[in-house]
Amino acid sequence: DAIEQFGFGNWEDMAAHVGASRTPQEVMEHYVSMYIHGNLGKACIPDTIPNRVTDHTCPSGGPLSPSLTTPLPPLDISVAEQQQLGYMPLRDDYEIEYDQDAETLISGLSVNYDDDDVEIELKRAHVDMYVRKLRERQRRKNIARDYNLVPAFLGKDKKEKEKALKRKITKEEKELRLKLRPLYQFMSCKEFDDLFENMHKEKMLRAKIRELQRYRRNGITKMEESAEYEAARHKREKRKENKNLAGSKRGKEDGKDGEFAAIENLPGFELLSDREKVLCTSLNLSPARYVTVKTIIIKDHLQKRQGIPSKSRLPSYLDKVLKKRILNFLTESGWISRDAS
């Protein structure tokens, strides 16, 4: 009578109905032992219950798998950071989610008894579209959680990364990681880190192989001999470096004398500036000829500025290339204006 009146599981009210001398635990144990596992239960409850409700979802990760939208454990962040992100920890949701308007696909749907087949299929299509959007939303949350993107946004993961890394990451590897960021959505964080660890191992192994091949080419067949070889090679490179350094110092000391050796003994050399000496050397033009051309060009330029008509009387040895180079030089040096050149 108490079961029918108060419902199965409401043991407190049942104990009060039976009598104050019985506790809820005693009432439950008595009912289970006498009515379910006792003779009455064996006679009334069959071993196999027909018409059992079948679970049509796919727990193995199929299209309707509950695991696709199962909430993750809440983020361990402070209340201020939750407000900054618009994060609701009990629901593991954000105020603004990916594809915020996804719910509009099904918010207006209703099942009516007079729906025809086309309308039913259309509503099913809407539900399928909504489920796909939910799966994509959850997939993005999983990626953000796996790669610690929320702590990275809040600036919390720098110290943790430094502790976790066993080796120093080079600049080239950082650039490569940035280029391969699209792979985040296809690989877990551990797989992504393992990829770069394996690439680093491959690089080290290739370098070691090249080193061993170099030893072999130089007749070294034992690792004990390599230390002596490396010491001798280091000494050779040091001597070569010192020799090059001494040569560059000597070159700096007599640099100017050797630079203008081709024209320094020609007449007019002392009239040229350092830049003009470089120009004459590059054009293979004697200082006297350069001074002549320079004088004619400047004189013609001054006459034109005064409005006096003048006919250019440039020497015959001055071709178009030489003329253009000299005009550009005089313009850059401020001897003549850019319009005249």
Side-chain angles (χ1 to χ4, degrees):
D1 293 340
I3 285 284
E4 291 180 353
Q5 183 175 350
F6 299 105
F8 183 82
N10 193 357
W11 306 112
E12 289 82 3
D13 291 342
M14 283 188 235
H17 178 78
V18 172
S21 60
R22 297 290 185 99
T23 64
Q25 183 68 22
E26 291 174 343
V27 171
M28 182 188 71
E29 292 174 355
H30 175 76
Y31 181 80
V32 170
S33 61
M34 298 299 294
Y35 292 94
I36 295 180
H37 299 305
N39 293 330
L40 186 60
K42 290 178 182 178
C44 299
I45 303 174
D47 295 333
T48 56
I49 300 176
N51 300 324
R52 184 182 293 276
V53 177
T54 305
D55 183 10
H56 293 281
T57 60
C58 307
S60 58
L64 295 177
S65 172
S67 61
L68 292 174
T69 55
T70 302
L72 297 168
L75 289 170
D76 185 16
I77 55 178
S78 65
V79 177
E81 290 167 343
Q82 292 175 11
Q83 293 175 352
Q84 181 183 357
L85 294 171
Y87 178 68
M88 294 169 281
L90 298 180
R91 298 176 55 186
D92 191 40
D93 281 342
Y94 296 88
E95 290 181 6
I96 300 178
E97 293 278 0
Y98 168 75
D99 206 345
Q100 182 74 2
D101 299 330
E103 283 71 17
T104 57
L105 285 168
I106 59 168
S107 59
L109 293 183
S110 60
V111 180
N112 303 317
Y113 70 93
D114 56 345
D115 287 342
D116 57 19
D117 294 341
V118 176
E119 290 176 331
I120 293 173
E121 290 300 322
L122 180 62
K123 291 176 181 178
R124 285 178 177 172
H126 275 250
V127 173
D128 181 63
M129 291 165 63
Y130 174 64
V131 170
R132 288 172 185 268
K133 290 179 182 290
L134 285 185
R135 291 170 61 192
E136 177 62 18
R137 184 182 291 174
Q138 189 63 35
R139 187 183 73 88
R140 290 172 179 255
K141 283 184 182 179
N142 294 340
I143 293 173
R145 187 69 62 88
D146 188 21
Y147 283 90
N148 291 322
L149 298 184
V150 172
F153 174 76
L154 297 172
K156 281 183 165 183
D157 67 330
K158 291 183 180 179
K159 294 182 180 179
E160 296 176 3
K161 278 187 176 179
E162 291 174 0
K163 292 180 182 178
L165 289 174
K166 299 178 182 178
R167 60 181 178 83
K168 188 177 180 181
I169 296 180
T170 61
K171 182 181 178 182
E172 292 77 13
E173 184 174 335
K174 287 181 180 178
E175 293 175 352
L176 186 59
R177 281 177 178 265
L178 288 175
K179 289 180 181 177
L180 295 182
R181 265 189 178 177
L183 293 180
Y184 280 11
Q185 56 185 326
F186 306 114
M187 304 171 68
S188 67
C189 184
K190 185 178 183 306
E191 290 173 342
F192 195 73
D193 290 337
D194 289 345
L195 170 67
F196 278 93
E197 284 297 325
N198 293 332
M199 289 171 66
H200 176 70
K201 288 180 183 177
E202 180 192 10
K203 184 179 179 182
M204 300 300 293
L205 288 172
R206 287 180 180 276
K208 189 64 177 178
I209 290 170
R210 287 195 297 269
E211 182 183 10
L212 294 175
Q213 288 175 341
R214 180 163 53 84
Y215 289 160
R216 179 62 63 86
R217 284 195 302 269
N218 288 278
I220 298 173
T221 56
K222 295 181 180 180
M223 291 303 296
E224 294 80 12
E225 301 171 353
S226 63
E228 184 179 351
Y229 168 77
E230 287 295 333
R233 186 173 69 87
H234 180 70
K235 289 180 181 178
R236 286 197 305 272
E237 290 178 353
K238 195 71 176 175
R239 284 199 301 269
K240 187 176 179 182
E241 185 180 344
N242 292 335
K243 187 177 178 181
N244 292 338
L245 190 62
S248 63
K249 284 182 178 178
R250 283 198 302 271
K252 286 181 179 178
E253 289 172 359
D254 17 285
K256 284 192 176 180
D257 297 336
E259 189 178 359
F260 308 125
I263 61 172
E264 62 181 351
N265 295 322
L266 297 177
F269 177 76
E270 66 279 0
L271 302 175
L272 304 180
S273 65
D274 289 341
R275 291 186 63 203
E276 289 176 325
K277 291 174 184 177
V278 174
L279 178 67
C280 290
T281 303
S282 63
L283 297 179
N284 197 18
L285 190 66
S286 67
R289 288 189 170 186
Y290 168 73
V291 171
T292 302
V293 174
K294 175 183 175 183
T295 305
I296 293 172
I297 291 175
I298 293 176
K299 185 178 179 181
D300 290 346
H301 172 64
L302 293 174
Q303 288 180 350
K304 286 180 182 178
R305 289 189 63 182
Q306 295 173 3
I308 303 172
S310 62
K311 187 177 181 182
S312 181
R313 303 178 304 280
L314 292 173
S316 58
Y317 58 78
L318 192 69
D319 58 14
K320 290 183 178 180
V321 178
L322 288 177
K323 179 182 176 183
K324 187 175 181 181
R325 291 281 301 277
I326 295 173
L327 282 172
N328 289 338
F329 174 78
L330 294 176
T331 304
E332 292 171 2
S333 302
W335 288 98
I336 60 176
S337 62
R338 194 167 296 276
D339 298 336
S341 64

